[in-house]
Amino acid sequence: MLKKRIIACLDVKDGKVVKGVKFKNHEILGDILEFAKAYSDAGIDELVFYDITASPRGEVVDTQWIKKLSNVITIPFSVAGGISTLKDAENVLSSGAEKISVNSMALKNPELITEIANRFGSQAIVVGIDCLKKGDEYRVFQMTGDPKLTSCSGRLSIDWAKEAQERGAGEIVLNCMDQDGVRRGYDLFHTKYLASELTIPVVASGGAGSVQDFVDIFTQSYVSGALAASIFHKGLVSIKSIKESLKMNNIPVRML
């Protein structure tokens, strides 16, 4: 059985790690490389870096810190931020990232997913989906790195996830924005539903606040990974305690 992945997410703004609540009011937390090295040493399985200002500014993530990052950690990591062309994807992957993640740029040009998958393989392309519940439906939002530019794409998250899969995406990261940063647990209902409708791996994001939240998401849904940020950044929950608890609940994980 494939081991479940514990993933730390680092939002990057102007070269620093930041964290907000529901994608707003970001506070600066520290240096990218220091955070990455600490997580790698603590036994995290993967890291995800989101340059949250690249797309809103019409820029592409800076590859200089990606190159430095690849020299200090050995675990897989993915990078997102304004990637809109094959050349952008190539630059990020050649700088040391194992995967790239696209969100707003893919919503603008869905063919980008297919182009990247055809060129570099589906394993290299992740589609991030930021969604909010509107009535009884979950809608996809874009430009979420800047509250002033954030808007609803009009797409249903399940429809967009299925299209991304059909276009060649190798993984979906589902971030339920209402849960982001509030530490009340993942959105089990929507995550379970979306993961059950896809054949590619789904990573749960948004809401982790305790060890039990990780147990719940893995026992009550079909996700292959669970992503968290603030509880790791602020030392509220250790990666070791999560993995020990998952192991006790017969959930396969990689131990140090």
Side-chain angles (χ1 to χ4, degrees):
M1 184 180 293
L2 292 176
K3 291 180 170 59
K4 302 296 186 179
R5 293 170 290 152
I6 306 301
I7 304 168
C9 170
L10 296 95
D11 290 338
V12 177
K13 182 178 181 180
D14 299 324
K16 296 291 184 180
V17 176
V18 300
K19 187 67 185 85
V21 176
K22 297 185 179 181
F23 288 53
K24 299 177 181 178
N25 303 317
H26 294 96
E27 62 174 309
I28 297 174
L29 298 181
D31 180 74
I32 300 171
L33 299 184
E34 290 178 1
F35 267 98
K37 184 66 166 57
Y39 283 133
S40 180
D41 292 345
I44 204 78
D45 296 307
E46 290 184 25
L47 294 172
V48 176
F49 296 86
Y50 293 125
D51 186 326
I52 63 172
T53 57
S55 289
R57 290 176 177 175
E59 301 171 351
V60 182
V61 59
D62 184 0
T63 58
Q64 293 305 306
W65 61 260
I66 300 173
K67 292 175 182 177
K68 294 177 182 178
L69 188 63
S70 66
N71 290 324
V72 300
I73 62 173
T74 58
I75 59 174
F77 67 94
S78 62
V79 174
I83 298 166
S84 62
T85 67
L86 279 176
K87 186 60 177 177
D88 294 339
E90 181 179 6
N91 288 341
V92 171
L93 292 171
S94 64
S95 296
E98 181 186 59
K99 297 181 279 190
I100 62 168
S101 181
V102 292
N103 189 327
S104 297
M105 294 300 101
L107 286 164
K108 183 179 180 180
N109 174 27
E111 185 62 24
L112 178 65
I113 301 169
T114 307
E115 292 174 355
I116 294 174
N118 288 343
R119 177 72 176 275
F120 303 106
S122 290
Q123 81 289 339
I125 175 72
V126 179
V127 173
I129 297 179
D130 297 330
C131 67
L132 275 173
K133 188 176 183 181
K134 296 295 182 180
D136 294 328
E137 300 174 325
Y138 286 77
R139 297 281 177 177
V140 181
F141 279 66
Q142 57 197 354
M143 296 296 179
T144 53
D146 186 339
K148 296 179 182 178
L149 298 178
T150 299
S151 64
C152 181
S153 70
R155 293 174 177 267
L156 293 177
S157 59
I158 185 61
D159 292 344
W160 177 227
K162 287 181 176 179
E163 180 178 342
Q165 176 178 266
E166 291 170 0
R167 288 183 174 276
E171 183 171 278
I172 299 292
V173 174
L174 178 67
N175 190 21
C176 298
M177 295 170 64
D178 278 330
Q179 304 298 105
D180 182 73
V182 299
R183 303 174 195 156
R184 297 174 187 162
Y186 296 100
D187 187 324
L188 294 171
F189 174 79
H190 190 52
T191 305
K192 179 180 180 179
Y193 168 63
L194 188 136
S196 69
E197 292 290 310
L198 302 179
T199 58
I200 59 175
V202 172
V203 174
S205 175
S210 68
V211 170
Q212 188 60 43
D213 291 334
F214 289 87
V215 175
D216 291 343
I217 195 65
F218 285 125
T219 56
Q220 298 182 42
S221 75
Y222 304 100
V223 297
S224 67
L227 180 153
S230 63
I231 61 165
F232 292 152
H233 298 342
K234 298 190 175 184
L236 303 178
V237 174
S238 73
I239 296 158
K240 181 180 179 181
S241 66
I242 292 171
K243 291 196 170 187
E244 288 177 344
S245 183
L246 292 176
K247 186 177 180 180
M248 289 177 59
N249 283 274
N250 298 315
I251 300 167
V253 290
R254 179 183 69 88
M255 304 296 292
L256 278 177

